[in-house]
Amino acid sequence: MNDQLVPPYRICLDEGQVRQAVDGFEEVLRGGTFVLGPKTRRFEQEFGALVLGREVTAVSTGTVALEMIFRGIGVHGRDILVPANTNFATARAVTAAGGRPVLYDAGLLPSVTAIEQALTPQTAAVTVVHIGGHVSPELPALCSLLDKVGIPLVEDAAHAHGSTLGGVSAGAFGAAAAFSFFPTKVVTTFEGGAVVTRDAELTRLTRMYRNQGKDAHGLHVVEGNSWRLSEVGAVLGLVQLRRFRADQRRREQILDRYRVELDPCPGIRFPTVPAGAALSGHKAIALLAEPEHRTQFRQTLALRGVGLAGGVYEVPLHRQPVFEHLGAGRRFPEADAFAAAHICLPMWASMSDREVGTVIDAVAAAVRDD
């Protein structure tokens, strides 16, 4: 085993960013406002600029952001369509808000056909997930369909900071979107999340929900919780937003190099990215032609100095013990096929050209060995 593995992911702040963060932490400590202060408000404003200026409510996690959206749009006792291929949190947010998750089949990208077939009079909302930062080219058509039938679209954009399709930012297609700032994301606030919406009433509700349901007079008017983002978390997020676009360009360069240099290799391919679209670069997703060799493929890469983490949702919701009842008697071939076939190559903004080359060489060799 190689002791100098290229890791799946690395959190890297340079010395300048560390200094900026420490200075900001000191400012918070000396100022004495640790939550719902000026750093949080500024972070909300600057993150909102990434999503066409929509209103942003910064909260404690991305899961909470989803739950608050579902609470705000009123899903209690009703169905929410959720892709079978997603994180536990997407469905858990539905149940926490009193709704019923109903699965539809989806691999990397949702399709209008699969969602349309799953709609019923009990459908209160439809959720799409931008896995790895990929925004489905069918999303505009889906928005048109849902507008006609009066059903809101909710975007789980936990992976999609900065992703765009047709000039529209991920998070700006639907009625509302939830982002995550977990440590593995391209922007982190230690832990954290955000609700993004164009709906002023939903913004008002989410800002009460996060603060134990209190209104401007300190009265508890809705059943909220302690779901606030800390001021030091907002400081860390602000430090990264200052060079977000440069970091995103670097991640896109790495993705382009992977694609160009590995596309000629048999046995591996990359998802198509629509012309003019931008990816967040949260994940470098590739698909293996022979999924049954994935374990051996990972072992071969490790021997050649490259570590791979698990994929994005290798076990879909209908195969998770807590949610397997949602798939009882049904098949989800797209979700199962994607879950079995994909890998995520190492990716982070400060990844060196040498490390990228090591990954490419190892993958090319592993494909040949298979």
Side-chain angles (χ1 to χ4, degrees), residues 25-367:
F25 298 160
E26 182 176 359
E27 186 178 342
V28 169
L29 294 172
R30 293 189 185 282
T33 300
F34 294 172
V35 295
L36 300 182
K39 302 298 185 185
T40 297
R41 290 192 293 273
R42 184 176 166 195
F43 178 74
E44 289 173 338
Q45 292 166 357
E46 293 195 16
F47 189 75
L50 291 179
V51 196
L52 297 181
R54 288 194 170 193
E55 290 293 318
V56 174
T57 302
V59 296
S60 55
T61 69
T63 308
V64 160
L66 276 173
E67 179 181 339
M68 291 163 70
I69 291 170
F70 294 137
R71 282 171 174 248
I73 62 180
V75 305
H76 193 275
R78 301 187 66 196
D79 296 342
I80 307 296
L81 297 192
V82 173
N85 183 51
T86 187
N87 187 276
F88 160 87
T90 314
R92 176 65 183 105
V94 174
T95 60
R100 295 185 297 265
V102 175
L103 303 185
Y104 65 88
D105 193 20
L108 174 62
L109 303 171
S111 74
V112 172
T113 299
I115 291 171
E116 188 171 19
Q117 290 173 348
L119 293 174
T120 75
Q122 274 297 303
T123 304
V126 172
T127 309
V128 295
V129 182
H130 305 314
I131 296 173
H134 289 264
V135 180
S136 172
E138 295 191 27
L139 200 53
L142 177 61
C143 290
S144 296
L145 169 66
L146 296 181
D147 283 346
K148 289 177 183 177
V149 295
I151 295 175
L153 174 69
V154 175
E155 297 174 67
D156 183 336
H159 296 182
H161 318 57
S163 292
T164 65
L165 176 74
V168 179
S169 301
F173 285 91
F179 286 83
S180 170
F181 306 122
F182 188 72
T184 57
K185 303 303 188 287
V186 297
V187 174
T188 181
T189 56
F190 300 113
E191 279 271 15
V195 174
V196 175
T197 183
R198 60 174 177 247
D199 186 327
E201 175 61 13
L202 183 55
T203 297
R204 188 183 73 87
L205 282 171
T206 55
R207 290 183 175 171
M208 289 192 293
Y209 285 142
R210 73 175 173 186
N211 194 30
Q212 298 185 328
K214 289 188 286 189
D215 65 10
H217 305 290
L219 297 175
H220 299 271
V221 297
V222 294
E223 291 190 13
N225 211 320
S226 299
W227 288 331
R228 299 167 290 257
L229 180 70
S230 72
E231 285 284 275
V232 292
V235 166
L236 182 60
L238 284 165
V239 166
Q240 294 160 86
L241 287 180
R242 287 173 190 156
R243 71 174 199 197
F244 179 84
R245 292 303 185 190
D247 284 347
Q248 183 180 15
R249 286 193 295 272
R250 174 57 181 163
R251 290 189 295 269
E252 288 188 307
Q253 289 170 359
I254 295 168
L255 288 168
D256 287 344
R257 187 174 169 195
Y258 280 157
R259 185 175 290 106
V260 169
E261 297 191 34
L262 289 173
D263 261 350
C265 297
I268 189 169
R269 65 181 180 85
F270 292 85
T272 300
V273 178
L279 294 181
S280 65
H282 171 61
K283 294 287 186 181
I285 295 173
L287 301 167
L288 299 176
E290 299 180 340
E292 65 274 15
H293 294 166
R294 184 166 62 180
T295 298
Q296 179 60 46
F297 182 87
R298 285 180 170 147
Q299 293 171 349
T300 301
L301 258 62
L303 291 172
R304 293 180 177 274
V306 175
L308 295 188
V312 278
Y313 325 131
E314 288 186 9
V315 182
L317 289 182
H318 62 286
R319 299 190 183 280
Q320 296 285 355
V322 70
F323 284 131
E324 60 188 1
H325 64 283
L326 299 178
R330 301 172 60 199
R331 296 177 61 252
F332 300 89
E334 293 292 330
D336 285 333
F338 175 75
H342 80 277
I343 58 170
C344 295
L345 299 180
M347 168 61 67
W348 65 93
S350 60
M351 195 175 181
S352 70
D353 288 341
R354 180 191 61 79
E355 288 170 321
V356 176
T358 297
V359 174
I360 290 169
D361 291 344
V363 170
V367 171

